[in-house]
Amino acid sequence: MKTTSWLLTTIRVILNVFWYGNIILAVFAFCMLTWKISTSSYTEFSNPVKYPLITKSTPLKTLTPDVSNITLTPDQATVKMHLTNNFSHVASAYFFLFAFETLVMSIIYQLRKFFNTIKQNAPFTYENVRRLKITALCFALTTLLSVLLGVSTAVILKTSVKDMNLMNMVWEQSFTGLILGAMLYILADIFKYGFELKKEIGEFV
């Protein structure tokens, strides 16, 4: 019981640190973005790409018997550019900043409320089921938003770089949020079952 109590306390402290820390980071990011847009006509933009400087893997010679099978393969490069601060670029920057921060703050807020109820020994409630489902939805939306960001980046590269057809954009988006969202939704169903079971027992007694 002490281990569980210590673990829950640690999780709650971490969530509180994330909550206040993310507020500070969000305000700082907003101020920096606004300052950059208002004081410059462009924003520095970069994205990794696969650029085939060599067309195929090439074996290299070894200098020591402790190493074998050394191969030189096509690696990543980085496209850097000055992106003009026109209306669409500025609107996109603010949209993704507010969208990601809203989802992150929503996730942290719901998890803080959830673990507070566990501390009070009341985990199986309708509110906790709702909180878990909202958190699951937010995690899933982070993946969709990340994909949308990737599409937006691809459009900028395709419409701005002349030889982009010779390169392949490196997608850094992952589906971790979607997986976590699915797991939390399943957990929400488990809590819903526990809530209904608790309610039935209470009515029976």
Side-chain angles (χ1 to χ4, degrees), residues 57-69:
S57 299
T58 305
L60 300 178
K61 294 181 179 180
T62 65
L63 294 176
T64 169
D66 298 328
V67 179
S68 61
N69 296 329

Side-chain angles (χ1 to χ4, degrees), residues 10-22:
T10 303
I11 292 174
R12 289 175 60 248
V13 169
I14 292 174
L15 287 173
N16 286 332
V17 171
F18 281 171
W19 174 258
Y20 294 107
N22 192 67

Side-chain angles (χ1 to χ4, degrees), residues 46-154:
S46 65
N47 197 82
V49 295
K50 283 285 186 179
Y51 186 64
L53 296 175
I54 53 177
T55 58
K56 61 180 180 180
S57 299
T58 305
L60 300 178
K61 294 181 179 180
T62 65
L63 294 176
T64 169
D66 298 328
V67 179
S68 61
N69 296 329
I70 302 178
T71 306
L72 179 65
T73 60
D75 204 351
Q76 293 183 11
T78 301
V79 172
K80 295 182 179 180
M81 68 179 81
H82 288 172
L83 200 62
T84 303
N85 290 331
N86 57 32
F87 177 78
S88 62
H89 294 157
V90 171
S92 296
Y94 277 112
F95 167 76
F96 284 111
L97 174 62
F98 280 109
F100 274 115
E101 282 300 328
T102 299
L103 291 176
V104 170
M105 294 299 289
S106 297
I107 290 171
I108 298 175
Y109 176 80
Q110 297 299 335
L111 289 178
R112 288 176 74 210
K113 291 293 185 181
F114 174 78
F115 281 101
N116 281 338
T117 60
I118 292 181
K119 180 188 176 183
Q120 298 167 4
N121 295 322
F124 297 109
T125 63
Y126 175 75
E127 282 299 313
N128 272 352
V129 173
R130 186 179 65 85
R131 289 184 184 116
L132 286 175
K133 288 187 176 181
I134 292 175
T135 306
L137 177 62
C138 289
F139 270 117
L141 288 177
T142 58
T143 297
L144 296 178
L145 194 60
S146 181
V147 171
L148 183 60
L149 177 60
V151 172
S152 176
T153 301

Side-chain angles (χ1 to χ4, degrees), residues 1-7 121:
M1 185 68 184
K2 290 184 179 180
T3 304
T4 304
S5 178
W6 175 85
L7 180 61
N121 295 322

